[in-house]
RNA sequence: GGGUGAUUAGCUCAGUGGUAGAGCGCUUCGUUCACAUCGAAGAUGUCGGGAGUUCGAAUCUCUCAUCACCCA
């Protein structure tokens, strides 16, 4: 039964994949030769919430190619699959689902019940991407599928595994070594998810924003002379002022200001440094005064040159406050609302006031006043203080902003300017609104100032100049300008820098080996530019914040118990232990065997119990509970935070292999070989894996990191739902088959290449599959596969000898390309070979032998073709596994599936027959010459025409004689003759011979002259270049010998061709 | 502002010192018994601009321009 005309991918792919899986073809070690080296790839674990996108499709195609290639070569191969638990994304997903199905929300459920819901969700929906990777043909060992939360407490049946143990063990080890610490740090806070997120999860986007300018009056009505000078010292402007002008894009943070800073060299403000100024907001009777300090951070040329310092809400201010010892006052709660806790504002402001005075005293700007006690606030005390005025408490941060602006303006403390000031941008006379900005709001809010609009040049940016024309109508100066604003990449809300207690890894202490590994070449990053980026980041590494205020994740293994020796002040002592039992054992050791230990859920509960306990004790012991008599209640609570997802995925290479147990797999497959991943997670993941694996095992986790870019659309744009240019790889697979998608991915995969996805290319590679299919179909129709022999054929016929050599060449080319991770070169070499050599020439050449012939030559051709096609299937299999496996099955009884076929290792040196190659290349060039002349001269395509050989050398004669059947067939030649070409022939020059097509009655002499003239023109250019080079004595002297030889040989060939063409032209001239 | 990279045929891209290629598209021709998801032939380039090194530069250096990404 003849084969179908095309490959039915939709039908065959699931069937073939099932076949592979059922036969265990992808199992670790399948098809390994005895004593083989291992080859391991760890899949970059997709989020458990994820669905396959084109980036995954690309990334996993490359991994699959490497894995299939090694497996066929007999390596002990493991492709380790798995998923990442993706803290924020998963928690969000489940919360959404609860809301959508009218179930109780996360907080109502409580932690344990919620986590059960997450696990249930994971078990039901978490496998989506696995099925999708299978459709792509990914040959992972699915029996080993891993999960970064496997084995966590509460994990249901089927989620066993010890990944959790690995994560906890590493945390405890690093903690014990002092490499993990807890502290108050400014972190990027996501008010939507109410958790810290890393720098890398923050997207900075330029959005239309506003810059407000406010006056901070000097304390006690003090004044100074404000002078502005130009570079030469000429006074430009001078006035008496009782305030300092401050610009801000976030007025609500003024409430937490701890100081105003100016540059030490800024003479304008020198007179008032060390004085106090007033924050112009809040109840008049409790206005807070803050010191004016110097710090190198403010840029005198920007704005007024004075900067408000809000240490708890801005990264730059944080550094200034740290340097100067300015207290940091937190203003917001975890949801980004203005705080509504603590003592009333008046009381809090009082304390802050004393702290400000104390600062002046400490820094020598003031002396201790009468009856005054300098107050110094600890970090915790400052944090506990709520400086939000009572009427603003509980407001959303953006509402609070609007209120603050309104109040200051009403009080007349906004800096004013003319209504025509081009900086305003917003509608005249109206203070700009303070909407909640967001990337989606961009373009809807106030426009960016268009200074060209009214032709007025912008005013000088220096403050103080804007109110000079008193006659003009004045409005508050609210600049409309684009500002960079941080957004959470998952939540899309504005990120708030927030001072919170977090856990940190001291990255700087463990980064050394990770840097050395790349510097010393033990791990190589491709493209090389990735190495530079890697160094740059690691050399400037910041502490890594690893705590997240989420529930879904590895909970931090730290418990808190009353410190048996500490003062009341920091009475909770952390105990880090792998399990609660061990932690409690520590508590018991500290508090005595008879202590009644109560594990509670929150710090508040623990506090209550501890207060009760303390109350029962003798006050003379000053709260030290070690002196307690008899059993007392000791509250213990566990840190509620979970670890950053990247902390656990950082252990992916060893965690998936069973570490910390010393498993057989760990010994066999670690260190792994290649990591294929997106360059966007070089820091998130790659660098951290390097650091963590080195810290834990002392070994590099992989020797090669292959980085690739983002898959974009045809025009190079990012694919996004909002743009609507997202292409679903599954749709592509449905329409064109997985092989076409894979081949397109492979051919795009040049090192460091830009990835632009094009459906035209997909279609082209689907056609390529069809071409291969039909070559096999032709072979099958001609009994080729019945003649398959064992091993490499050793045929006699020139065409067969030639194609065997060509096959060896392409095998070497493919191996070299894959070894160098030049996937595109491998794909292109195979495309050119299968289509351009096998299909275009070899199949055509074989036709006379297969269709017309019989006997040994036919049999040998069948055998050779069977072998050549088998080689095509084998070499293409890593890239196009489905169609090749299908053809492998259809074209013979096979000992093994193609997925386990032996990868060839024959070489061009063994198999290339140079004489055969020269002969075939000559025949091809003659055929092409004839075809070209015919087509250009409009000789009817179907017409058989005679060919006259004018002259020929020995090699050409032999080649013609031995291949005349092929040449006649493919060039559509009727008869050969030898002799002088008749007048009005078409000239066909080839190497070592000249031919003519006598077609005087068909051709147009003028057109033929033109054709030859054109060819001569081209030749002339080339000859000019070659002669120029060879005539240059410096060329012969400096260029390598083989280059000179090549140029000489080239020149000889071109000259021969030129002679022939000139002769042909001369003959045509005779006709006229 | 810092870093990294890109600029080659109409389009998408290869091309690490020897005189420029592929695929797609385009034009012309073709119902030749594997394939029209095909075949044959053809056209198209101051390799972003300028300077330098070199016998020789798309390739190395400098510079300018434009664009992209990452980090502030």
């Amino acid at each position: 039964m003849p084969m179908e005309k095309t490959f039915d991918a939709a039908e065959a792919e699931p069937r073939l994949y099932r076949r592979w899986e059922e036969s265990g073809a992808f199992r670790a070690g399948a098809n390994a030769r005895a004593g083989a080296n291992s080859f391991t790839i760890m899949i970059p674990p997709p989020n458990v919430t994820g669905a396959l996108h084109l980036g995954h499709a690309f990334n996993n195609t490359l991994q699959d190619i490497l894995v299939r290639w090694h497996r066929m070569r007999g390596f002990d191969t493991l492709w380790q699959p798995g998923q990442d638990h993706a803290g924020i994304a998963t928690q969000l997903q489940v919360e959404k689902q609860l809301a959508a199905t009218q179930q109780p929300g996360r907080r109502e459920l409580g932690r344990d019940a919620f986590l059960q819901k997450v696990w249930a969700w994971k078990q039901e929906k978490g496998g989506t991407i696995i099925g999708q990777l299978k459709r792509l043909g990914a040959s992972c060992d699915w029996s080993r599928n891993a999960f970064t939360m496997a084995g966590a407490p509460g994990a249901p049946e089927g989620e066993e595994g010890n990944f959790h143990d690995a994560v906890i063990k590493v945390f405890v080890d690093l903690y014990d070594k002092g490499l993990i610490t807890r502290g108050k740090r400014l972190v990027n806070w996501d008010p939507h998810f109410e958790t810290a997120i890393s720098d890398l999860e923050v997207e900075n986007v330029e959005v239309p924003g506003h810059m407000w300018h406010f006056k901070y009056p000097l304390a006690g009505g003090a004044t100074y002379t404000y002078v502005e000078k130009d570079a030469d010292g000429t006074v430009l402007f001078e006035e008496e002022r009782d305030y300092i002008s401050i610009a801000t894009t976030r007025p609500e943070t003024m409430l937490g200001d701890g100081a105003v800073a100016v540059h030490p060299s800024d003479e304008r403000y020198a007179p008032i440094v060390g004085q106090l100024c007033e924050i112009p907001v809040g109840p008049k009777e409790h206005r807070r005064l803050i010191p004016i300090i110097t710090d190198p951070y403010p840029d005198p040329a920007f704005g007024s040159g004075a900067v408000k310092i809000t240490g708890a809400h801005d990264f730059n201010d944080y550094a200034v406050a740290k340097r100067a010892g300015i207290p940091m006052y937190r203003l917001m709660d975890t949801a980004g609302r203005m705080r509504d806790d603590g003592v009333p504002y008046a009381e809090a402001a009082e304390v802050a006031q004393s702290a400000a005075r104390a600062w002046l005293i400490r820094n020598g700007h003031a002396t201790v006043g009468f009856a005054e006690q300098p107050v110094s606030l600890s970090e915790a005390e400052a944090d506990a203080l709520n400086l939000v005025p009572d009427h603003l408490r509980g407001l959303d941060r953006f509402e609070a902003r609007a209120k603050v602006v309104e109040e200051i303006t009403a009080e007349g403390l906004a800096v004013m300017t003319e209504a025509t000031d081009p900086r305003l941008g917003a509608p005249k006379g109206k203070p700009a609104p303070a909407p909640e900005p967001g990337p989606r709001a961009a373009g809807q809010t106030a426009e960016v100032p268009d200074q060209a609009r009214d032709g007025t040049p912008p005013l000088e940016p220096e403050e103080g100049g804007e109110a000079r024309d008193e006659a003009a109508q004045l409005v508050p100066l609210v600049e409309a300008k684009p500002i960079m604003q941080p957004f959470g990449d998952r939540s899309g809300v504005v990120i708030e820098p927030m001072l919170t207690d977090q856990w940190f890894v001291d990255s700087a202490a463990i980064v050394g080996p990770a840097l050395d590994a790349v510097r010393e070449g033990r791990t190589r990053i491709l493209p090389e530019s990735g190495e530079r980026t890697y160094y740059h980041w690691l050399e400037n590494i910041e502490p890594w914040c690893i705590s997240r205020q989420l529930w879904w994740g590895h909970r931090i293994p730290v418990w808190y118990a009353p410190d048996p020796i500490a003062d009341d002040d920091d009475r909770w002592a952390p105990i880090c232990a792998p399990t609660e039992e061990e932690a409690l054992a520590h508590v018991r050791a500290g508090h005595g065997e008879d202590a009644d230990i109560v594990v509670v859920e929150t710090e508040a509960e623990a506090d209550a119990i501890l207060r009760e306990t303390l109350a029962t004790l003798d006050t003379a012991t000053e709260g030290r509970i070690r002196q307690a008599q008899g059993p007392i209640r000791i509250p213990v609570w566990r840190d509620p935070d979970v670890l950053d997802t990247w902390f656990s995925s950082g252990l992916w290479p060893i965690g998936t292999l069973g570490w910390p147990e010393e498993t057989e797999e760990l010994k066999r497959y670690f260190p792994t070989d290649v990591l294929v991943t997106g360059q966007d997670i070089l820091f998130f993941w790659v660098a951290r894996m390097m650091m963590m694996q080195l810290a834990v095992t002392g070994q590099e986790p992989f020797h090669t990191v292959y980085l690739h870019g983002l898959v974009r659309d045809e025009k190079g744009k990012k694919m996004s739902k909002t743009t609507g240019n997202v292409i679903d790889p599954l749709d592509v697979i449905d329409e064109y088959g997985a092989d076409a998608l894979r081949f397109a991915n492979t051919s795009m995969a040049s090192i460091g290449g830009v990835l632009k996805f094009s459906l035209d290319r997909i279609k082209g590679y689907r056609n390529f599959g069809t071409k291969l299919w039909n070559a096999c179909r032709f072979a099958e129709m001609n009994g080729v596969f019945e003649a398959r022999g064992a091993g490499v054929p050793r045929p006699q016929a020139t065409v067969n000898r030639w194609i065997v050599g060509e096959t060896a060449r392409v095998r070497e080319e493919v191996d070299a390309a894959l070894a160098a991770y030049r996937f595109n070169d491998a794909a292109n070499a195979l495309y050119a070979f299968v289509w351009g050599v096998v299909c275009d020439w070899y199949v055509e050449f074989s036709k006379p032998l297969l269709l017309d012939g019989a006997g040994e030559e036919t049999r040998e051709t069948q055998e050779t073709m069977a072998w050549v096609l088998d080689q095509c299937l084998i070499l293409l299999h890593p890239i196009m596994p489905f169609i090749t496996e299908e053809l492998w099955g259809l074209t013979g009884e096979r000992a093994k599936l193609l997925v386990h076929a032996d990868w060839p290792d024959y070489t061009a040196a063994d198999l290339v027959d140079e004489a055969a190659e020269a002969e075939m290349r000559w025949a091809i060039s003659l055929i092409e010459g004839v075809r070209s002349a015919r087509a250009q001269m409009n000789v009817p395509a179907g017409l058989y025409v005679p060919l006259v050989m004018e002259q020929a050398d020995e090699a050409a004669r032999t080649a013609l004689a031995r291949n005349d059947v092929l040449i006649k067939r493919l060039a559509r030649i009727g008869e050969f003759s030898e002799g002088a070409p008749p007048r009005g022939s078409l000239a066909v020059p080839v190497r070592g011979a000249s031919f003519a097509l006598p077609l005087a009655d068909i051709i147009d002499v003028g057109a033929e002259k033109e054709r030859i003239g054109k060819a001569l023109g081209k030749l002339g250019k080339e000859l000019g270049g070659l002669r120029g080079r060879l005539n240059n004595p410096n060329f012969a002297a400096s260029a390598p010998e083989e280059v000179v030889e090549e140029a000489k040989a080239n020149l000889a060939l071109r000259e021969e061709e030129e002679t022939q063409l000139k002769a042909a032209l001369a003959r045509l001239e005779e006709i006229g």
Side-chain angles (χ1 to χ4, degrees):
Chain A
M1 192 178 76
M3 287 165 62
E4 295 297 321
K5 272 188 149 186
T6 55
F7 173 56
D8 183 353
E11 179 279 321
E13 287 176 359
R15 168 167 51 77
L16 293 166
Y17 199 91
R18 217 176 308 125
R19 184 87 191 277
W20 288 326
E21 277 209 292
E22 283 166 4
S23 68
F26 305 152
R27 292 282 182 118
N31 201 44
R33 292 194 185 135
N37 287 332
S38 68
F39 179 79
T40 313
I41 289 189
M42 296 283 162
I43 201 169
N47 285 352
V48 69
T49 54
L52 195 77
H53 56 63
L54 283 174
H56 291 126
F58 177 81
N59 171 270
N60 287 290
T61 297
L62 301 193
Q63 292 176 68
D64 198 37
I65 289 169
L66 291 174
V67 164
R68 286 181 183 265
W69 178 49
H70 279 88
R71 193 187 288 120
M72 290 169 86
R73 293 197 296 162
F75 281 76
D76 178 354
T77 304
L78 167 62
W79 186 8
Q80 172 67 50
Q83 291 78 44
D84 187 286
H85 69 271
I88 291 185
T90 309
Q91 186 162 320
L92 174 69
Q93 190 93 359
V94 175
E95 285 191 86
K96 267 190 190 164
Q97 194 199 32
L98 292 176
T101 53
Q102 280 84 43
Q103 294 186 64
R106 172 165 71 98
R107 294 191 190 281
E108 281 174 81
L109 284 171
R111 188 161 185 150
D112 289 343
F114 177 72
L115 289 178
Q116 276 177 23
K117 294 276 185 195
V118 180
W119 276 113
W121 179 90
K122 190 268 173 184
Q123 292 202 299
E124 191 193 341
K125 304 247 174 92
T128 305
I129 200 159
I130 296 176
Q132 296 174 326
L133 284 167
K134 289 181 179 179
R135 290 211 53 200
L136 185 68
S139 66
C140 305
D141 181 355
W142 295 109
S143 70
R144 298 187 46 81
N145 190 50
F147 184 48
T148 53
M149 277 290 279
E157 204 173 319
E159 302 290 350
E160 297 86 1
N162 67 344
F163 210 101
H164 178 74
D165 297 347
V167 172
I168 296 300
K169 180 171 168 50
V170 168
F171 184 98
V172 174
D173 286 353
L174 293 178
Y175 180 94
D176 288 344
K177 288 179 188 158
L179 295 169
I180 289 183
T181 51
R182 183 172 147 95
K184 271 212 191 310
R185 292 287 179 86
L186 206 55
V187 295
N188 297 296
W189 187 267
D190 187 319
H192 178 77
F193 292 119
E194 303 188 35
T195 177
I197 60 175
S198 91
D199 290 353
L200 300 166
E201 292 160 314
V202 174
E203 232 179 310
N204 288 293
V205 182
E206 193 168 86
V207 297
H210 299 95
M211 173 94 94
W212 285 268
H213 296 252
F214 297 129
K215 297 174 178 177
Y216 280 43
L218 295 182
T223 60
Y224 66 111
T225 309
Y226 175 89
V227 184
E228 260 177 36
K229 296 177 184 169
D230 67 10
D232 307 325
T234 315
V235 172
L236 294 174
F237 178 75
E238 186 174 335
E239 73 173 1
E240 282 295 298
R241 280 192 181 175
D242 59 358
Y243 66 89
I244 183 164
S245 174
I246 303 287
T248 179
T249 57
R250 297 193 298 155
E252 72 282 7
T253 64
M254 290 167 64
L255 301 166
D257 286 353
V260 167
V262 298
H263 196 270
S265 68
D266 197 334
E267 293 178 23
R268 295 172 295 178
Y269 301 113
I272 52 171
V273 167
Q275 294 191 23
L276 292 173
C277 64
E278 184 184 308
I279 301 176
V281 66
K284 204 89 190 143
E285 60 280 19
H286 296 296
R287 278 288 148 86
R288 279 177 53 217
L289 296 173
I290 52 175
I292 297 167
I293 68 170
T294 59
D295 191 275
Y297 164 61
D299 175 3
F302 184 79
S304 69
V307 180
K308 64 197 244 357
I309 300 301
T310 322
H313 288 281
D314 181 280
F315 285 95
N316 292 311
D317 294 4
Y318 177 76
V320 176
K322 272 266 179 201
R323 280 195 286 272
I326 298 292
M328 307 185 207
Y329 302 116
R330 185 170 53 85
L331 297 169
M332 296 171 204
D333 66 13
T334 54
R337 284 185 302 262
M338 305 311 284
R339 284 172 65 174
D340 194 12
D341 62 341
V343 297
Y345 174 75
E347 212 174 301
E350 191 90 10
V351 179
Q353 202 53 72
S354 314
R357 282 280 301 158
W359 188 90
L360 290 181
I361 294 162
R362 275 204 309 282
N363 290 274
H365 296 296
T367 49
V368 183
F370 178 71
E372 183 174 34
Q373 283 266 342
V375 174
S376 178
L377 292 178
S378 74
E379 207 173 54
E381 284 165 340
D383 188 71
L385 220 50
N386 178 359
L387 288 173
V388 180
D390 301 329
H391 70 288
L392 297 178
R393 292 189 178 191
L395 288 184
D396 176 81
R397 54 190 162 150
F398 299 107
E399 292 171 34
R401 173 178 301 175
K403 283 262 190 206
V404 165
V405 170
E406 194 187 306
E407 290 175 19
I408 300 175
T409 309
E411 209 179 304
L413 288 170
V415 171
M416 304 301 277
T417 188
E418 293 159 30
T420 55
D421 188 328
R423 285 177 289 172
L424 292 172
K428 285 171 187 158
K430 256 192 259 170
E436 171 157 10
R440 284 159 215 98
Q444 296 164 6
T445 46
E447 63 196 71
V448 174
D450 178 2
Q451 299 177 334
R453 185 177 42 206
D454 55 5
T456 321
L459 296 185
E460 285 297 303
E462 286 80 14
E463 297 299 320
E466 52 289 311
R468 286 168 207 180
D469 181 358
E470 296 186 12
Q473 185 203 351
L474 296 183
V475 296
L477 174 55
V478 183
E479 286 182 65
K481 61 188 269 177
I483 54 171
M484 284 304 266
Q485 193 139 42
F487 292 92
D489 64 358
R490 294 242 158 239
S491 64
V493 304
V494 176
I495 295 305
E496 196 66 42
M498 189 99 83
L499 195 60
T500 52
D501 278 313
Q502 300 291 346
W503 289 93
F504 291 89
V505 172
D506 184 0
S507 318
I510 57 168
V511 76
L515 271 168
D516 290 344
V518 177
R519 282 198 192 116
E520 290 160 18
R522 287 187 297 279
T523 295
R524 190 164 64 121
I525 301 177
L526 295 174
E528 213 186 310
S529 63
E531 297 191 353
R532 283 194 283 280
T533 317
Y534 178 86
Y535 296 142
H536 191 257
W537 192 72
L538 288 192
E539 282 163 1
N540 299 293
I541 195 158
E542 297 281 324
W544 172 18
C545 175
I546 51 169
S547 40
R548 296 290 182 271
Q549 288 65 43
L550 302 172
W551 286 353
W552 175 238
H554 297 282
R555 192 162 175 181
I556 287 177
V558 171
W559 285 260
Y560 300 92
D563 191 330
I565 54 170
D567 290 339
D568 197 42
D569 222 22
D570 57 18
R571 57 194 174 204
W572 297 112
I575 296 142
C576 179
T579 60
E580 185 171 290
E581 290 70 50
E582 287 172 70
L584 295 186
H586 273 95
V587 177
R588 206 162 280 122
H591 290 276
E593 281 303 317
D594 50 354
D596 175 17
I597 294 173
V598 195
V599 180
V600 296
E601 193 51 37
T602 64
E603 181 173 5
E605 289 171 63
D607 254 328
I609 294 172
L610 184 60
R611 266 198 300 278
E612 255 173 59
T613 303
L614 291 172
T616 65
L617 295 177
D618 180 357
T619 49
T621 62
E622 293 179 326
R624 294 181 180 217
I625 48 183
R626 61 171 7 173
Q627 285 95 345
Q629 309 281 318
I632 52 161
R633 295 181 76 204
I634 302 293
V636 173
W637 51 285
R638 183 174 182 174
D639 197 302
D641 291 356
V642 299
L643 287 165
D644 178 9
T645 309
W646 296 103
F647 188 91
S648 43
S649 52
L651 294 167
W652 191 243
I654 53 174
T656 48
L657 295 174
W659 188 89
E661 285 167 49
E662 285 190 20
T663 60
E664 193 54 36
E665 287 82 358
L666 196 63
K667 274 184 231 156
R668 273 165 75 191
Y669 298 116
F670 186 85
T672 75
D673 290 271
V674 186
L675 177 73
V676 180
T677 193
Q679 61 191 187
D680 52 331
I681 54 174
L682 178 61
F683 310 135
F684 271 114
W685 192 47
V686 181
R688 285 167 182 171
M689 270 195 286
M690 290 287 285
M691 290 194 287
M692 291 175 82
Q693 256 62 213
L694 281 161
V696 171
T697 69
Q699 288 180 287
E700 289 80 19
F702 18 72
H703 57 69
T704 301
V705 177
Y706 179 97
L707 297 177
H708 58 81
L710 219 63
V711 179
R712 298 155 183 289
D713 76 3
E714 227 161 339
K715 292 174 195 116
K717 275 199 194 141
K718 273 190 193 180
M719 293 193 186
S720 76
K721 279 184 191 157
T722 35
T723 326
N725 57 350
V726 176
I727 294 171
D728 184 342
L730 298 176
D731 291 344
V732 177
I733 292 173
D734 286 343
E735 185 165 3
Y736 298 102
D739 291 327
L741 175 59
R742 292 171 59 112
F743 206 101
N745 285 334
T746 313
S747 68
M748 281 199 292
S750 64
I751 291 175
V754 179
L755 309 176
K756 291 187 192 167
F757 183 88
S758 153
L759 275 179
D760 279 346
R761 292 185 77 169
I762 304 281
K763 197 173 154 194
Y765 295 124
R766 187 269 320 263
N767 296 353
F768 174 66
T770 306
K771 190 74 184 173
L772 173 71
W773 181 270
N774 278 291
C776 291
R777 183 164 177 264
F778 168 81
E780 192 236 24
M781 291 163 82
N782 288 283
V784 160
F785 299 115
E786 284 101 76
R788 182 182 288 113
V792 181
R794 298 285 174 172
Q796 294 305 307
T798 311
V799 267
N800 291 329
R801 295 173 76 82
W802 163 75
I803 196 64
V804 168
E806 292 285 344
T807 307
R809 284 193 197 281
V810 79
R811 188 244 106 201
E812 285 190 5
E813 215 177 325
V814 168
D815 274 321
L818 291 180
Y821 304 94
R822 305 174 71 99
F823 298 96
N824 60 321
D825 286 352
N828 293 339
L830 285 165
Y831 188 98
F833 175 69
V834 171
W835 199 318
V837 179
V838 174
C839 293
D840 285 351
W841 292 108
Y842 181 63
V843 170
E844 294 305 325
F845 286 154
S846 74
K847 282 179 182 172
L849 299 171
L850 292 176
L851 302 175
D852 314 332
E856 175 50 25
E857 218 173 31
T858 301
R859 195 211 59 77
E860 148 188 318
T861 303
Q862 288 169 332
E863 184 191 346
T864 305
M865 185 175 284
W867 179 81
V868 168
L869 290 172
D870 278 356
Q871 302 312 302
C872 291
L873 299 180
I874 293 168
L875 296 174
L876 278 169
H877 182 261
I879 305 177
M880 309 184 101
F882 291 108
I883 193 172
T884 52
E885 186 72 83
E886 179 73 351
L887 286 169
W888 186 258
L890 285 174
T891 55
E893 288 299 317
R894 311 283 189 165
K896 290 199 283 187
L897 289 172
L898 179 57
V899 67
H900 284 173
D902 292 333
W903 190 266
D905 57 5
Y906 43 73
T907 64
D910 292 339
L911 300 185
V912 169
D913 175 341
E914 303 216 1
E917 197 166 271
E919 200 176 304
M920 291 321 298
R921 286 185 181 169
W922 185 88
I924 287 171
S925 76
L926 175 57
I927 292 165
E928 284 179 335
V930 173
R931 281 175 172 175
S932 178
R934 291 175 59 125
Q936 287 187 67
M937 289 302 108
N938 297 315
V939 177
L943 188 68
Y944 279 80
V945 298
L947 182 71
V948 179
M949 180 165 77
E950 189 186 354
Q951 52 85 21
D953 65 14
E954 203 49 44
R957 279 173 195 278
T958 314
L960 181 65
R962 289 166 58 112
N963 299 286
D964 64 333
V965 181
L966 312 180
I967 292 165
K968 280 179 173 167
R969 186 183 176 102
L970 296 182
R972 300 188 87 69
I973 298 298
E975 287 304 321
F976 284 139
S977 59
E978 188 171 350
R983 298 178 137 221
S985 302
L986 294 179
V988 181
V990 290
R991 183 174 189 169
S994 56
F995 290 88
L997 299 171
L999 295 167
D1001 45 343
I1002 296 179
I1003 63 161
D1004 171 345
V1005 173
E1008 173 65 355
K1009 277 204 252 181
E1010 205 178 304
R1011 184 179 77 97
I1012 294 177
K1014 214 169 163 189
L1016 278 170
K1018 262 190 189 169
L1019 262 183
K1021 266 191 191 170
E1022 278 187 71
L1023 282 166
L1026 285 165
R1027 288 188 184 123
R1029 267 201 289 168
L1030 287 164
N1031 291 340
N1032 182 341
N1034 284 329
F1035 175 67
S1038 334
E1041 200 175 326
E1042 66 262 27
V1043 173
V1044 180
E1045 287 309 313
E1046 200 190 313
K1048 280 183 182 165
N1050 222 335
L1051 180 65
L1053 280 177
R1054 299 292 164 209
E1055 282 177 334
E1056 182 192 354
E1057 199 180 338
E1058 189 187 37
T1059 310
Q1060 293 182 22
L1061 285 174
K1062 278 186 172 163
L1065 195 59
R1067 281 198 303 274
L1068 290 170
E1069 295 292 353
E1070 286 170 25
I1071 304 175

